[in-house]
Amino acid sequence: DGGITQSPKYLFRKEGQNVTLSCEQNLNHDAMYWYRQDPGQGLRLIYYSQIVNDFQKGDIAEGYSVSREKKESFPLTVTSAQKNPTAFYLCASTRSGVGFYQPQHFGDGTRLSIL
Amino acid sequence: SQQGEEDPQALSIQEGENATMNCSYKTSINNLQWYRQNSGRGLVHLILIRSNEREKHSGRLRVTLDTSKKSSSLLITASRAADTASYFCATDDTGGFKTIFGAGTRLFVKA
């Protein structure tokens, strides 16, 4: 079955440490997204990529970095500069790089906590 | 910036009852979507309604859109315990590329 796989499901970060969250899709989708979800809140866009080797900052990109070297993969690094990283991180994709009229397909998330 | 805001924040009903959730937004849209999220899982797309549509059905779901009031509602008929989840509306950022999600309505259906 096609879908989006996020790993790990749970991740713990020590002070000063960078951690990388994995997102892989086999839907042959061009566009991929990273969102952050805090308790009781909606999703906030961190980064998005419309095509391989290209990505743009979303609303809360500070303290995060991404790469898009392959169509299937869009890893997110939470750097030590992100002072409040505890949250639920969701990866999503859409068929093409144009956002209108397109449902987003989501992975099952990674929950990141501070040790 | 938050575009869609759901109301109520939380809703508790008995199995078999209907559940209605509302979404209001601030600026003009091209489309509005509803998503469902089970606890600890990703979002699942339920239905998309375009700005020139007024009502759309999918199984036990009925979505309405009133662009003059900048609001939408999601009705789940004959609810089941398995409908327990959070429901989010999402609108497009006109002139841009982003989809903007509201904070969601938490629905609890008691068996």
Side-chain angles (χ1 to χ4, degrees):
Chain A
D1 284 342
I4 297 181
T5 301
Q6 291 188 240
S7 63
K9 191 167 179 65
Y10 300 96
L11 187 58
F12 298 91
R13 197 192 86 169
K14 295 179 182 177
E15 291 289 336
Q17 187 181 42
N18 293 352
V19 291
T20 297
L21 285 60
S22 170
C23 177
E24 302 279 332
Q25 55 99 356
N26 61 3
L27 297 165
N28 199 31
H29 284 179
D30 285 327
M32 298 185 74
Y33 314 75
W34 273 106
Y35 292 95
R36 170 180 172 139
Q37 186 178 31
D38 292 281
Q41 296 189 31
L43 280 63
R44 291 185 289 170
L45 183 64
I46 304 173
Y47 268 97
Y48 63 96
S49 168
Q50 298 186 56
I51 199 168
V52 175
N53 293 322
D54 184 55
F55 50 82
Q56 285 79 39
K57 293 181 179 179
D59 298 318
I60 55 165
E62 186 172 350
Y64 300 97
S65 66
V66 294
S67 63
R68 187 84 188 277
E69 297 175 1
K70 297 188 300 182
K71 186 175 185 177
E72 303 80 18
S73 180
F74 191 39
L76 173 74
T77 296
V78 184
T79 74
S80 57
Q82 172 50 246
K83 298 306 179 189
N84 183 23
T86 297
F88 190 49
Y89 290 86
L90 287 161
C91 179
S93 70
T94 52
R95 182 174 297 124
S96 72
V98 177
F100 298 153
Y101 309 130
Q102 292 191 79
Q104 296 196 16
H105 297 257
F106 283 84
D108 272 341
T110 292
R111 191 167 298 280
L112 176 62
S113 303
I114 292 289
L115 277 178
Chain B
S1 59
Q2 189 157 314
Q3 168 79 305
E5 294 187 8
E6 292 89 343
D7 171 60
Q9 290 185 333
L11 180 60
S12 181
I13 59 174
Q14 291 290 139
E15 206 167 29
E17 293 180 342
N18 294 343
T20 300
M21 289 157 270
N22 302 296
C23 170
S24 60
Y25 56 91
K26 297 183 177 66
T27 62
S28 296
I29 60 171
N30 292 303
N31 69 75
L32 186 144
Q33 302 177 54
W34 284 92
Y35 288 80
R36 165 193 169 125
Q37 183 181 34
N38 285 60
S39 181
R41 303 293 296 274
L43 277 69
V44 174
H45 182 262
L46 295 176
I47 200 163
L48 181 151
I49 187 165
R50 300 183 182 184
S51 59
N52 61 354
E53 297 176 312
R54 291 296 167 259
E55 188 170 312
K56 207 161 181 181
H57 296 256
S58 177
R60 292 184 296 113
L61 305 181
R62 172 178 170 253
V63 169
T64 61
L65 179 64
D66 187 336
T67 52
S68 66
K69 295 182 179 178
K70 293 188 171 57
S71 68
S72 173
S73 67
L74 170 67
L75 168 67
I76 304 174
T77 59
S79 63
R80 306 165 181 167
D83 293 327
T84 294
S86 292
Y87 293 82
F88 296 87
C89 70
T91 57
D92 58 292
D93 179 10
T94 54
F97 173 72
K98 297 182 292 185
T99 298
I100 302 172
F101 292 84
T105 291
R106 292 190 305 280
L107 173 65
F108 181 65
V109 182
K110 293 176 280 188

